[in-house]
Amino acid sequence: MLIVLLGPPAAGKGTQAERIVKYLSIPHISTGDILRQNIRENTELGKIALRYINKGDLVPDKVIIAEIKERLERTDCKDGALLDGFPRTLNQAKELDKLFTVDKVIDIKVDDHTLLKRVMSRQTCLKCGRSYASKDDGRCLCGGQLYTRADDTKEAFVNRLNNYHKLTLPITDYYAAQKKLISVDGKGDAQEVFENIKKHLNYNLVGKEG
Ligand code: AMP
């Protein structure tokens, strides 16, 4: 079961991904987390990613597609995975279709004004990537230190949002035409949003009870 999670930056993809993978017992593959980890470890991929990520630009399709292919071919993905942050361009979506079968696409919808407000106060865990709307003690539940992502500045965020509208949004039409698209309102409380996603998943897939 291969599920794609779509949505603008700060729509709550990471938060929902955490719940969905627990519910469906599949691995969570976040391209943003992978790139940030590679930057921290100063790998070749990290060096390439650094040229784009902090400005809010997209990493070239070729680089990210190769990384996703390698991840999805690993044995822990034999029963499926949740892709968070990939695909982000129509070309990535088409290349993914050549390699694997996507079962469902969950699109989280949030308006731009709410996204900007969220991103300006967002803190992210250096260790596990979890993000918080606000947390005073500067520590994640996993014990990791919280920081402000370099691309969570207003300037980088506006660029990310523009890229989303221009490059990522057309993907929703592509998946809608394949009858795979599930759209959910992402503005409410995280648990409420998840309940809505779960309802759609149970209807569309052979999900578990609950
Ligand atoms: P995210 O954590 O999903 O917000 O991603 C952070 C950044 O990583 C993006 O703004 C891009 O610079 C890069 N990135 C993540 N996923 C992709 C992708 N599928 N294609 C290109 N760049 C990506």
Side-chain angles (χ1 to χ4, degrees):
M1 185 187 329
L2 188 60
I3 300 182
V4 165
L5 192 55
L6 286 180
K13 295 193 294 295
T15 305
Q16 295 305 324
E18 212 180 290
R19 288 168 159 84
I20 297 166
V21 295
K22 206 164 150 201
Y23 181 60
L24 295 175
S25 306
I26 50 175
H28 174 198
I29 300 177
S30 155
T31 41
D33 284 349
I34 292 171
L35 295 172
R36 282 184 290 277
Q37 189 183 345
N38 275 274
I39 289 173
R40 282 197 293 277
E41 292 169 359
N42 200 26
T43 64
E44 284 311 308
L45 175 61
K47 284 178 197 160
I48 297 171
L50 198 53
R51 287 190 234 142
Y52 303 91
I53 196 165
N54 288 353
K55 287 184 279 176
D57 290 337
L58 292 185
V59 169
D61 282 356
K62 224 174 105 185
V63 174
I64 204 84
I65 290 162
E67 186 61 26
I68 280 290
K69 179 173 184 292
E70 191 271 320
R71 292 273 161 161
L72 286 178
E73 281 170 349
R74 291 188 191 173
T75 51
D76 67 331
C77 292
K78 68 176 182 358
D79 294 327
L82 178 79
L83 295 180
D84 162 7
F86 182 94
R88 252 181 163 97
T89 65
L90 202 49
N91 180 45
Q92 289 179 14
K94 288 180 179 171
E95 288 301 314
L96 179 64
D97 273 351
K98 288 185 199 160
L99 297 166
F100 305 94
T101 304
V102 172
D103 293 291
K104 280 288 156 198
V105 178
I106 302 164
D107 179 34
I108 305 179
K109 298 215 161 295
V110 181
D111 63 275
D112 291 0
H113 178 71
T114 306
L115 295 171
L116 182 63
K117 241 171 68 187
R118 279 187 189 175
V119 93
M120 290 291 99
S121 63
R122 176 159 85 166
Q123 287 183 288
T124 305
C125 175
L126 205 51
K127 203 164 130 196
C128 74
R130 180 194 277 245
S131 62
Y132 294 87
S134 64
K135 202 161 185 303
D136 294 337
D137 62 1
R139 286 271 155 208
C140 177
L141 289 177
C142 80
Q145 201 188 328
L146 299 182
Y147 77 115
T148 302
R149 274 170 48 172
D151 59 347
D152 275 353
T153 60
K154 190 168 179 188
E155 198 185 26
F157 181 73
V158 167
N159 192 23
R160 287 160 70 200
L161 204 52
N162 285 338
N163 282 333
Y164 169 78
H165 285 293
K166 203 167 77 193
L167 302 169
T168 311
L169 207 50
I171 304 177
T172 53
D173 291 338
Y174 176 75
Y175 286 126
Q178 295 184 6
K179 307 219 175 317
K180 291 178 179 172
L181 193 71
I182 296 169
S183 283
V184 294
D185 180 358
K187 239 190 121 172
D189 163 79
Q191 188 57 29
E192 239 174 75
V193 177
F194 177 60
E195 291 302 329
N196 200 3
I197 291 175
K198 211 161 71 169
K199 206 171 65 196
H200 283 289
L201 285 176
N202 284 340
Y203 183 75
N204 283 282
L205 301 166
V206 190
K208 297 172 196 167
E209 284 298 310

